[in-house]
PDB file of all heavy atoms in Angstrom:
ATOM      1  N   ALA A   1      20.288   4.776   5.293  1.00 93.00           N
ATOM      2  CA  ALA A   1      19.779   3.787   6.252  1.00 93.00           C
ATOM      3  C   ALA A   1      18.878   4.448   7.273  1.00 93.00           C
ATOM      4  O   ALA A   1      17.862   3.879   7.706  1.00 93.00           O
ATOM      5  CB  ALA A   1      20.964   3.086   6.932  1.00 93.00           C
ATOM      6  N   GLN A   2      19.226   5.664   7.671  1.00 90.00           N
ATOM      7  CA  GLN A   2      18.399   6.400   8.624  1.00 90.00           C
ATOM      8  C   GLN A   2      17.029   6.724   8.033  1.00 90.00           C
ATOM      9  O   GLN A   2      16.006   6.600   8.708  1.00 90.00           O
ATOM     10  CB  GLN A   2      19.115   7.692   9.037  1.00 90.00           C
ATOM     11  CG  GLN A   2      18.351   8.556  10.032  1.00 90.00           C
ATOM     12  CD  GLN A   2      19.062   9.860  10.332  1.00 90.00           C
ATOM     13  OE1 GLN A   2      20.045  10.219   9.695  1.00 90.00           O
ATOM     14  NE2 GLN A   2      18.570  10.597  11.314  1.00 90.00           N
ATOM     15  N   ALA A   3      17.018   7.145   6.765  1.00 90.00           N
ATOM     16  CA  ALA A   3      15.732   7.427   6.100  1.00 90.00           C
ATOM     17  C   ALA A   3      14.882   6.156   6.040  1.00 90.00           C
ATOM     18  O   ALA A   3      13.662   6.200   6.242  1.00 90.00           O
ATOM     19  CB  ALA A   3      15.980   7.972   4.706  1.00 90.00           C
ATOM     20  N   ASN A   4      15.521   5.036   5.758  1.00 94.00           N
ATOM     21  CA  ASN A   4      14.797   3.760   5.723  1.00 94.00           C
ATOM     22  C   ASN A   4      14.263   3.380   7.111  1.00 94.00           C
ATOM     23  O   ASN A   4      13.100   2.982   7.258  1.00 94.00           O
ATOM     24  CB  ASN A   4      15.732   2.670   5.193  1.00 94.00           C
ATOM     25  CG  ASN A   4      15.129   1.281   5.264  1.00 94.00           C
ATOM     26  OD1 ASN A   4      15.536   0.494   6.105  1.00 94.00           O
ATOM     27  ND2 ASN A   4      14.173   0.990   4.413  1.00 94.00           N
ATOM     28  N   ARG A   5      15.097   3.551   8.105  1.00 92.00           N
ATOM     29  CA  ARG A   5      14.755   3.098   9.448  1.00 92.00           C
ATOM     30  C   ARG A   5      13.771   4.039  10.140  1.00 92.00           C
ATOM     31  O   ARG A   5      12.791   3.578  10.745  1.00 92.00           O
ATOM     32  CB  ARG A   5      16.055   3.005  10.254  1.00 92.00           C
ATOM     33  CG  ARG A   5      15.907   2.508  11.676  1.00 92.00           C
ATOM     34  CD  ARG A   5      17.274   2.366  12.327  1.00 92.00           C
ATOM     35  NE  ARG A   5      17.997   3.643  12.416  1.00 92.00           N
ATOM     36  CZ  ARG A   5      19.060   3.935  11.675  1.00 92.00           C
ATOM     37  NH1 ARG A   5      19.541   3.068  10.809  1.00 92.00           N
ATOM     38  NH2 ARG A   5      19.650   5.121  11.806  1.00 92.00           N
ATOM     39  N   GLU A   6      14.024   5.342  10.065  1.00 89.00           N
ATOM     40  CA  GLU A   6      13.240   6.288  10.854  1.00 89.00           C
ATOM     41  C   GLU A   6      12.034   6.857  10.114  1.00 89.00           C
ATOM     42  O   GLU A   6      11.023   7.187  10.737  1.00 89.00           O
ATOM     43  CB  GLU A   6      14.145   7.434  11.323  1.00 89.00           C
ATOM     44  CG  GLU A   6      15.278   6.957  12.233  1.00 89.00           C
ATOM     45  CD  GLU A   6      16.169   8.090  12.697  1.00 89.00           C
ATOM     46  OE1 GLU A   6      15.785   9.271  12.477  1.00 89.00           O
ATOM     47  OE2 GLU A   6      17.235   7.813  13.265  1.00 89.00           O
ATOM     48  N   LEU A   7      12.138   6.969   8.790  1.00 88.00           N
ATOM     49  CA  LEU A   7      11.030   7.536   8.017  1.00 88.00           C
ATOM     50  C   LEU A   7      10.204   6.444   7.339  1.00 88.00           C
ATOM     51  O   LEU A   7       9.171   6.733   6.743  1.00 88.00           O
ATOM     52  CB  LEU A   7      11.564   8.512   6.972  1.00 88.00           C
ATOM     53  CG  LEU A   7      12.401   9.679   7.501  1.00 88.00           C
ATOM     54  CD1 LEU A   7      12.897  10.559   6.351  1.00 88.00           C
ATOM     55  CD2 LEU A   7      11.617  10.511   8.493  1.00 88.00           C
ATOM     56  N   GLY A   8      10.700   5.192   7.376  1.00 92.00           N
ATOM     57  CA  GLY A   8       9.985   4.105   6.730  1.00 92.00           C
ATOM     58  C   GLY A   8      10.061   4.143   5.213  1.00 92.00           C
ATOM     59  O   GLY A   8       9.247   3.522   4.511  1.00 92.00           O
ATOM     60  N   THR A   9      11.054   4.874   4.663  1.00 94.00           N
ATOM     61  CA  THR A   9      11.186   5.037   3.227  1.00 94.00           C
ATOM     62  C   THR A   9      11.716   3.770   2.588  1.00 94.00           C
ATOM     63  O   THR A   9      12.669   3.161   3.089  1.00 94.00           O
ATOM     64  CB  THR A   9      12.157   6.188   2.914  1.00 94.00           C
ATOM     65  OG1 THR A   9      11.768   7.353   3.648  1.00 94.00           O
ATOM     66  CG2 THR A   9      12.175   6.512   1.438  1.00 94.00           C
ATOM     67  N   THR A  10      11.115   3.344   1.497  1.00 97.00           N
ATOM     68  CA  THR A  10      11.644   2.241   0.698  1.00 97.00           C
ATOM     69  C   THR A  10      12.867   2.755  -0.046  1.00 97.00           C
ATOM     70  O   THR A  10      12.793   3.767  -0.736  1.00 97.00           O
ATOM     71  CB  THR A  10      10.594   1.726  -0.302  1.00 97.00           C
ATOM     72  OG1 THR A  10       9.411   1.362   0.422  1.00 97.00           O
ATOM     73  CG2 THR A  10      11.112   0.544  -1.076  1.00 97.00           C
ATOM     74  N   VAL A  11      14.009   2.067   0.116  1.00 97.00           N
ATOM     75  CA  VAL A  11      15.265   2.543  -0.470  1.00 97.00           C
ATOM     76  C   VAL A  11      15.828   1.464  -1.400  1.00 97.00           C
ATOM     77  O   VAL A  11      15.970   0.302  -1.001  1.00 97.00           O
ATOM     78  CB  VAL A  11      16.299   2.870   0.625  1.00 97.00           C
ATOM     79  CG1 VAL A  11      17.625   3.323  -0.006  1.00 97.00           C
ATOM     80  CG2 VAL A  11      15.775   3.960   1.573  1.00 97.00           C
ATOM     81  N   VAL A  12      16.123   1.860  -2.631  1.00 98.00           N
ATOM     82  CA  VAL A  12      16.737   0.964  -3.604  1.00 98.00           C
ATOM     83  C   VAL A  12      18.068   1.590  -4.027  1.00 98.00           C
ATOM     84  O   VAL A  12      18.104   2.730  -4.484  1.00 98.00           O
ATOM     85  CB  VAL A  12      15.841   0.733  -4.845  1.00 98.00           C
ATOM     86  CG1 VAL A  12      16.506  -0.260  -5.810  1.00 98.00           C
ATOM     87  CG2 VAL A  12      14.464   0.243  -4.423  1.00 98.00           C
ATOM     88  N   ILE A  13      19.163   0.834  -3.854  1.00 97.00           N
ATOM     89  CA  ILE A  13      20.506   1.343  -4.124  1.00 97.00           C
ATOM     90  C   ILE A  13      21.181   0.490  -5.190  1.00 97.00           C
ATOM     91  O   ILE A  13      21.324  -0.728  -5.021  1.00 97.00           O
ATOM     92  CB  ILE A  13      21.375   1.332  -2.853  1.00 97.00           C
ATOM     93  CG1 ILE A  13      20.734   2.172  -1.738  1.00 97.00           C
ATOM     94  CG2 ILE A  13      22.779   1.857  -3.158  1.00 97.00           C
ATOM     95  CD1 ILE A  13      21.454   2.056  -0.409  1.00 97.00           C
ATOM     96  N   ILE A  14      21.601   1.112  -6.274  1.00 96.00           N
ATOM     97  CA  ILE A  14      22.463   0.472  -7.256  1.00 96.00           C
ATOM     98  C   ILE A  14      23.903   0.736  -6.865  1.00 96.00           C
ATOM     99  O   ILE A  14      24.283   1.867  -6.528  1.00 96.00           O
ATOM    100  CB  ILE A  14      22.222   1.015  -8.675  1.00 96.00           C
ATOM    101  CG1 ILE A  14      20.892   0.522  -9.231  1.00 96.00           C
ATOM    102  CG2 ILE A  14      23.354   0.645  -9.612  1.00 96.00           C
ATOM    103  CD1 ILE A  14      20.561   1.077 -10.591  1.00 96.00           C
ATOM    104  N   THR A  15      24.740  -0.292  -6.898  1.00 93.00           N
ATOM    105  CA  THR A  15      26.152  -0.109  -6.608  1.00 93.00           C
ATOM    106  C   THR A  15      26.969  -1.179  -7.299  1.00 93.00           C
ATOM    107  O   THR A  15      26.473  -2.277  -7.591  1.00 93.00           O
ATOM    108  CB  THR A  15      26.406  -0.140  -5.084  1.00 93.00           C
ATOM    109  OG1 THR A  15      27.798   0.075  -4.833  1.00 93.00           O
ATOM    110  CG2 THR A  15      25.996  -1.474  -4.488  1.00 93.00           C
ATOM    111  N   HIS A  16      28.250  -0.845  -7.566  1.00 88.00           N
ATOM    112  CA  HIS A  16      29.225  -1.855  -8.008  1.00 88.00           C
ATOM    113  C   HIS A  16      30.024  -2.379  -6.831  1.00 88.00           C
ATOM    114  O   HIS A  16      30.814  -3.311  -6.984  1.00 88.00           O
ATOM    115  CB  HIS A  16      30.167  -1.259  -9.045  1.00 88.00           C
ATOM    116  CG  HIS A  16      29.577  -1.110 -10.421  1.00 88.00           C
ATOM    117  ND1 HIS A  16      28.978   0.048 -10.845  1.00 88.00           N
ATOM    118  CD2 HIS A  16      29.476  -2.003 -11.427  1.00 88.00           C
ATOM    119  CE1 HIS A  16      28.530  -0.125 -12.097  1.00 88.00           C
ATOM    120  NE2 HIS A  16      28.816  -1.354 -12.463  1.00 88.00           N
ATOM    121  N   ASN A  17      29.798  -1.788  -5.657  1.00 89.00           N
ATOM    122  CA  ASN A  17      30.552  -2.149  -4.478  1.00 89.00           C
ATOM    123  C   ASN A  17      29.823  -3.245  -3.713  1.00 89.00           C
ATOM    124  O   ASN A  17      28.844  -2.988  -3.000  1.00 89.00           O
ATOM    125  CB  ASN A  17      30.734  -0.918  -3.594  1.00 89.00           C
ATOM    126  CG  ASN A  17      31.660  -1.149  -2.415  1.00 89.00           C
ATOM    127  OD1 ASN A  17      31.880  -2.300  -2.014  1.00 89.00           O
ATOM    128  ND2 ASN A  17      32.180  -0.088  -1.866  1.00 89.00           N
ATOM    129  N   ALA A  18      30.281  -4.468  -3.842  1.00 90.00           N
ATOM    130  CA  ALA A  18      29.594  -5.599  -3.222  1.00 90.00           C
ATOM    131  C   ALA A  18      29.578  -5.513  -1.701  1.00 90.00           C
ATOM    132  O   ALA A  18      28.700  -6.085  -1.046  1.00 90.00           O
ATOM    133  CB  ALA A  18      30.280  -6.912  -3.637  1.00 90.00           C
ATOM    134  N   GLY A  19      30.509  -4.758  -1.111  1.00 91.00           N
ATOM    135  CA  GLY A  19      30.529  -4.618   0.324  1.00 91.00           C
ATOM    136  C   GLY A  19      29.301  -3.920   0.886  1.00 91.00           C
ATOM    137  O   GLY A  19      28.911  -4.136   2.039  1.00 91.00           O
ATOM    138  N   ILE A  20      28.675  -3.069   0.064  1.00 94.00           N
ATOM    139  CA  ILE A  20      27.501  -2.329   0.511  1.00 94.00           C
ATOM    140  C   ILE A  20      26.301  -3.248   0.687  1.00 94.00           C
ATOM    141  O   ILE A  20      25.381  -2.962   1.450  1.00 94.00           O
ATOM    142  CB  ILE A  20      27.195  -1.198  -0.496  1.00 94.00           C
ATOM    143  CG1 ILE A  20      28.316  -0.141  -0.435  1.00 94.00           C
ATOM    144  CG2 ILE A  20      25.842  -0.548  -0.232  1.00 94.00           C
ATOM    145  CD1 ILE A  20      28.162   0.973  -1.460  1.00 94.00           C
ATOM    146  N   ALA A  21      26.318  -4.399   0.031  1.00 95.00           N
ATOM    147  CA  ALA A  21      25.165  -5.311   0.051  1.00 95.00           C
ATOM    148  C   ALA A  21      24.787  -5.743   1.470  1.00 95.00           C
ATOM    149  O   ALA A  21      23.621  -6.049   1.736  1.00 95.00           O
ATOM    150  CB  ALA A  21      25.456  -6.542  -0.802  1.00 95.00           C
ATOM    151  N   ALA A  22      25.746  -5.750   2.388  1.00 95.00           N
ATOM    152  CA  ALA A  22      25.484  -6.254   3.735  1.00 95.00           C
ATOM    153  C   ALA A  22      24.520  -5.376   4.514  1.00 95.00           C
ATOM    154  O   ALA A  22      23.941  -5.824   5.513  1.00 95.00           O
ATOM    155  CB  ALA A  22      26.796  -6.404   4.502  1.00 95.00           C
ATOM    156  N   MET A  23      24.320  -4.115   4.084  1.00 96.00           N
ATOM    157  CA  MET A  23      23.400  -3.241   4.823  1.00 96.00           C
ATOM    158  C   MET A  23      21.942  -3.429   4.378  1.00 96.00           C
ATOM    159  O   MET A  23      21.040  -2.845   4.971  1.00 96.00           O
ATOM    160  CB  MET A  23      23.810  -1.789   4.630  1.00 96.00           C
ATOM    161  CG  MET A  23      23.609  -1.225   3.236  1.00 96.00           C
ATOM    162  SD  MET A  23      24.083   0.542   3.071  1.00 96.00           S
ATOM    163  CE  MET A  23      22.692   1.363   3.877  1.00 96.00           C
ATOM    164  N   ALA A  24      21.702  -4.218   3.340  1.00 97.00           N
ATOM    165  CA  ALA A  24      20.367  -4.358   2.765  1.00 97.00           C
ATOM    166  C   ALA A  24      19.553  -5.472   3.418  1.00 97.00           C
ATOM    167  O   ALA A  24      20.106  -6.400   4.023  1.00 97.00           O
ATOM    168  CB  ALA A  24      20.491  -4.644   1.261  1.00 97.00           C
ATOM    169  N   HIS A  25      18.252  -5.377   3.274  1.00 97.00           N
ATOM    170  CA  HIS A  25      17.383  -6.504   3.621  1.00 97.00           C
ATOM    171  C   HIS A  25      17.551  -7.612   2.596  1.00 97.00           C
ATOM    172  O   HIS A  25      17.648  -8.794   2.958  1.00 97.00           O
ATOM    173  CB  HIS A  25      15.895  -6.067   3.673  1.00 97.00           C
ATOM    174  CG  HIS A  25      15.615  -5.086   4.750  1.00 97.00           C
ATOM    175  ND1 HIS A  25      15.452  -3.736   4.504  1.00 97.00           N
ATOM    176  CD2 HIS A  25      15.462  -5.242   6.091  1.00 97.00           C
ATOM    177  CE1 HIS A  25      15.192  -3.108   5.652  1.00 97.00           C
ATOM    178  NE2 HIS A  25      15.189  -3.991   6.618  1.00 97.00           N
ATOM    179  N   ARG A  26      17.571  -7.213   1.315  1.00 97.00           N
ATOM    180  CA  ARG A  26      17.778  -8.192   0.226  1.00 97.00           C
ATOM    181  C   ARG A  26      18.709  -7.603  -0.805  1.00 97.00           C
ATOM    182  O   ARG A  26      18.829  -6.384  -0.946  1.00 97.00           O
ATOM    183  CB  ARG A  26      16.436  -8.548  -0.455  1.00 97.00           C
ATOM    184  CG  ARG A  26      15.502  -9.394   0.370  1.00 97.00           C
ATOM    185  CD  ARG A  26      14.313  -9.839  -0.473  1.00 97.00           C
ATOM    186  NE  ARG A  26      13.609  -8.704  -1.055  1.00 97.00           N
ATOM    187  CZ  ARG A  26      12.886  -8.761  -2.172  1.00 97.00           C
ATOM    188  NH1 ARG A  26      12.805  -9.877  -2.869  1.00 97.00           N
ATOM    189  NH2 ARG A  26      12.256  -7.673  -2.619  1.00 97.00           N
ATOM    190  N   VAL A  27      19.354  -8.495  -1.554  1.00 97.00           N
ATOM    191  CA  VAL A  27      20.271  -8.114  -2.630  1.00 97.00           C
ATOM    192  C   VAL A  27      19.830  -8.806  -3.896  1.00 97.00           C
ATOM    193  O   VAL A  27      19.679 -10.050  -3.920  1.00 97.00           O
ATOM    194  CB  VAL A  27      21.718  -8.494  -2.306  1.00 97.00           C
ATOM    195  CG1 VAL A  27      22.662  -7.986  -3.384  1.00 97.00           C
ATOM    196  CG2 VAL A  27      22.128  -7.981  -0.924  1.00 97.00           C
ATOM    197  N   LEU A  28      19.597  -8.043  -4.959  1.00 97.00           N
ATOM    198  CA  LEU A  28      19.267  -8.603  -6.266  1.00 97.00           C
ATOM    199  C   LEU A  28      20.508  -8.587  -7.139  1.00 97.00           C
ATOM    200  O   LEU A  28      21.114  -7.536  -7.368  1.00 97.00           O
ATOM    201  CB  LEU A  28      18.153  -7.783  -6.938  1.00 97.00           C
ATOM    202  CG  LEU A  28      16.694  -8.189  -6.643  1.00 97.00           C
ATOM    203  CD1 LEU A  28      16.396  -8.144  -5.160  1.00 97.00           C
ATOM    204  CD2 LEU A  28      15.734  -7.299  -7.410  1.00 97.00           C
ATOM    205  N   HIS A  29      20.922  -9.749  -7.615  1.00 97.00           N
ATOM    206  CA  HIS A  29      22.092  -9.883  -8.478  1.00 97.00           C
ATOM    207  C   HIS A  29      21.618  -9.935  -9.930  1.00 97.00           C
ATOM    208  O   HIS A  29      20.816 -10.826 -10.278  1.00 97.00           O
ATOM    209  CB  HIS A  29      22.872 -11.140  -8.116  1.00 97.00           C
ATOM    210  CG  HIS A  29      23.482 -11.100  -6.752  1.00 97.00           C
ATOM    211  ND1 HIS A  29      24.783 -10.719  -6.515  1.00 97.00           N
ATOM    212  CD2 HIS A  29      22.943 -11.382  -5.514  1.00 97.00           C
ATOM    213  CE1 HIS A  29      25.050 -10.784  -5.224  1.00 97.00           C
ATOM    214  NE2 HIS A  29      23.953 -11.180  -4.584  1.00 97.00           N
ATOM    215  N   PHE A  30      22.120  -9.034 -10.751  1.00 96.00           N
ATOM    216  CA  PHE A  30      21.702  -8.933 -12.143  1.00 96.00           C
ATOM    217  C   PHE A  30      22.768  -9.506 -13.072  1.00 96.00           C
ATOM    218  O   PHE A  30      23.968  -9.365 -12.822  1.00 96.00           O
ATOM    219  CB  PHE A  30      21.459  -7.473 -12.536  1.00 96.00           C
ATOM    220  CG  PHE A  30      20.113  -6.937 -12.109  1.00 96.00           C
ATOM    221  CD1 PHE A  30      19.862  -6.680 -10.765  1.00 96.00           C
ATOM    222  CD2 PHE A  30      19.128  -6.703 -13.026  1.00 96.00           C
ATOM    223  CE1 PHE A  30      18.642  -6.183 -10.367  1.00 96.00           C
ATOM    224  CE2 PHE A  30      17.890  -6.214 -12.640  1.00 96.00           C
ATOM    225  CZ  PHE A  30      17.652  -5.957 -11.293  1.00 96.00           C
ATOM    226  N   ARG A  31      22.308 -10.118 -14.170  1.00 95.00           N
ATOM    227  CA  ARG A  31      23.193 -10.585 -15.219  1.00 95.00           C
ATOM    228  C   ARG A  31      22.418 -10.635 -16.521  1.00 95.00           C
ATOM    229  O   ARG A  31      21.317 -11.203 -16.588  1.00 95.00           O
ATOM    230  CB  ARG A  31      23.755 -11.981 -14.890  1.00 95.00           C
ATOM    231  CG  ARG A  31      24.782 -12.465 -15.912  1.00 95.00           C
ATOM    232  CD  ARG A  31      25.397 -13.815 -15.511  1.00 95.00           C
ATOM    233  NE  ARG A  31      24.414 -14.871 -15.479  1.00 95.00           N
ATOM    234  CZ  ARG A  31      24.068 -15.549 -14.386  1.00 95.00           C
ATOM    235  NH1 ARG A  31      24.617 -15.235 -13.222  1.00 95.00           N
ATOM    236  NH2 ARG A  31      23.156 -16.497 -14.435  1.00 95.00           N
ATOM    237  N   ASP A  32      22.937 -10.012 -17.560  1.00 94.00           N
ATOM    238  CA  ASP A  32      22.356 -10.066 -18.904  1.00 94.00           C
ATOM    239  C   ASP A  32      20.878  -9.672 -18.941  1.00 94.00           C
ATOM    240  O   ASP A  32      20.058 -10.312 -19.587  1.00 94.00           O
ATOM    241  CB  ASP A  32      22.514 -11.468 -19.490  1.00 94.00           C
ATOM    242  CG  ASP A  32      23.957 -11.882 -19.641  1.00 94.00           C
ATOM    243  OD1 ASP A  32      24.800 -10.988 -19.878  1.00 94.00           O
ATOM    244  OD2 ASP A  32      24.262 -13.079 -19.497  1.00 94.00           O
ATOM    245  N   GLY A  33      20.540  -8.601 -18.216  1.00 94.00           N
ATOM    246  CA  GLY A  33      19.168  -8.082 -18.247  1.00 94.00           C
ATOM    247  C   GLY A  33      18.182  -8.859 -17.411  1.00 94.00           C
ATOM    248  O   GLY A  33      16.970  -8.610 -17.514  1.00 94.00           O
ATOM    249  N   GLN A  34      18.667  -9.748 -16.580  1.00 95.00           N
ATOM    250  CA  GLN A  34      17.782 -10.556 -15.742  1.00 95.00           C
ATOM    251  C   GLN A  34      18.230 -10.551 -14.302  1.00 95.00           C
ATOM    252  O   GLN A  34      19.400 -10.293 -13.995  1.00 95.00           O
ATOM    253  CB  GLN A  34      17.751 -12.011 -16.251  1.00 95.00           C
ATOM    254  CG  GLN A  34      17.177 -12.159 -17.667  1.00 95.00           C
ATOM    255  CD  GLN A  34      17.197 -13.620 -18.096  1.00 95.00           C
ATOM    256  OE1 GLN A  34      18.200 -14.310 -17.950  1.00 95.00           O
ATOM    257  NE2 GLN A  34      16.091 -14.084 -18.655  1.00 95.00           N
ATOM    258  N   ILE A  35      17.288 -10.835 -13.396  1.00 96.00           N
ATOM    259  CA  ILE A  35      17.629 -11.025 -12.001  1.00 96.00           C
ATOM    260  C   ILE A  35      18.097 -12.475 -11.860  1.00 96.00           C
ATOM    261  O   ILE A  35      17.313 -13.408 -11.931  1.00 96.00           O
ATOM    262  CB  ILE A  35      16.425 -10.759 -11.084  1.00 96.00           C
ATOM    263  CG1 ILE A  35      15.937  -9.302 -11.272  1.00 96.00           C
ATOM    264  CG2 ILE A  35      16.775 -11.015  -9.626  1.00 96.00           C
ATOM    265  CD1 ILE A  35      14.628  -9.000 -10.579  1.00 96.00           C
ATOM    266  N   ALA A  36      19.412 -12.631 -11.685  1.00 95.00           N
ATOM    267  CA  ALA A  36      20.001 -13.967 -11.684  1.00 95.00           C
ATOM    268  C   ALA A  36      19.739 -14.691 -10.369  1.00 95.00           C
ATOM    269  O   ALA A  36      19.504 -15.895 -10.356  1.00 95.00           O
ATOM    270  CB  ALA A  36      21.516 -13.879 -11.945  1.00 95.00           C
ATOM    271  N   ARG A  37      19.801 -13.953  -9.267  1.00 94.00           N
ATOM    272  CA  ARG A  37      19.498 -14.565  -7.978  1.00 94.00           C
ATOM    273  C   ARG A  37      19.203 -13.482  -6.952  1.00 94.00           C
ATOM    274  O   ARG A  37      19.562 -12.306  -7.152  1.00 94.00           O
ATOM    275  CB  ARG A  37      20.647 -15.447  -7.478  1.00 94.00           C
ATOM    276  CG  ARG A  37      21.942 -14.729  -7.193  1.00 94.00           C
ATOM    277  CD  ARG A  37      23.048 -15.714  -6.834  1.00 94.00           C
ATOM    278  NE  ARG A  37      24.313 -15.068  -6.622  1.00 94.00           N
ATOM    279  CZ  ARG A  37      24.774 -14.661  -5.433  1.00 94.00           C
ATOM    280  NH1 ARG A  37      24.029 -14.868  -4.345  1.00 94.00           N
ATOM    281  NH2 ARG A  37      25.955 -14.064  -5.321  1.00 94.00           N
ATOM    282  N   ILE A  38      18.543 -13.876  -5.878  1.00 96.00           N
ATOM    283  CA  ILE A  38      18.202 -12.955  -4.794  1.00 96.00           C
ATOM    284  C   ILE A  38      18.812 -13.488  -3.502  1.00 96.00           C
ATOM    285  O   ILE A  38      18.656 -14.659  -3.161  1.00 96.00           O
ATOM    286  CB  ILE A  38      16.677 -12.821  -4.638  1.00 96.00           C
ATOM    287  CG1 ILE A  38      16.073 -12.205  -5.900  1.00 96.00           C
ATOM    288  CG2 ILE A  38      16.327 -11.962  -3.423  1.00 96.00           C
ATOM    289  CD1 ILE A  38      14.564 -12.115  -5.870  1.00 96.00           C
ATOM    290  N   GLU A  39      19.495 -12.612  -2.803  1.00 96.00           N
ATOM    291  CA  GLU A  39      20.151 -12.957  -1.541  1.00 96.00           C
ATOM    292  C   GLU A  39      19.433 -12.237  -0.407  1.00 96.00           C
ATOM    293  O   GLU A  39      19.178 -11.030  -0.507  1.00 96.00           O
ATOM    294  CB  GLU A  39      21.616 -12.531  -1.624  1.00 96.00           C
ATOM    295  CG  GLU A  39      22.439 -12.753  -0.383  1.00 96.00           C
ATOM    296  CD  GLU A  39      23.854 -12.240  -0.575  1.00 96.00           C
ATOM    297  OE1 GLU A  39      24.208 -11.794  -1.684  1.00 96.00           O
ATOM    298  OE2 GLU A  39      24.607 -12.263   0.421  1.00 96.00           O
ATOM    299  N   VAL A  40      19.080 -12.945   0.628  1.00 96.00           N
ATOM    300  CA  VAL A  40      18.392 -12.361   1.781  1.00 96.00           C
ATOM    301  C   VAL A  40      19.373 -12.269   2.945  1.00 96.00           C
ATOM    302  O   VAL A  40      20.024 -13.273   3.294  1.00 96.00           O
ATOM    303  CB  VAL A  40      17.164 -13.198   2.199  1.00 96.00           C
ATOM    304  CG1 VAL A  40      16.484 -12.602   3.427  1.00 96.00           C
ATOM    305  CG2 VAL A  40      16.174 -13.319   1.034  1.00 96.00           C
TER     306      VAL A  40
END
């Protein structure tokens, strides 16, 4: 988050932990090889 905030780095995080999603600007939910929905 610091790298994103202070260095302006674009950060993409894969996780199985849904709790981590709250730190993101957006969350992409995947299912069967597709982006099923986007949460802002």
Side-chain angles (χ1 to χ4, degrees):
Q2 180 184 9
N4 173 253
R5 182 176 61 251
E6 297 180 11
L7 303 178
T9 309
T10 304
V11 178
V12 183
I13 302 173
I14 287 178
T15 181
H16 283 94
N17 187 340
I20 292 175
M23 70 179 284
H25 295 103
R26 289 188 303 154
V27 184
L28 271 57
H29 295 264
F30 279 72
R31 185 176 64 243
D32 299 329
Q34 296 179 313
I35 300 171
R37 64 185 177 93
I38 297 176
E39 177 183 355
V40 178

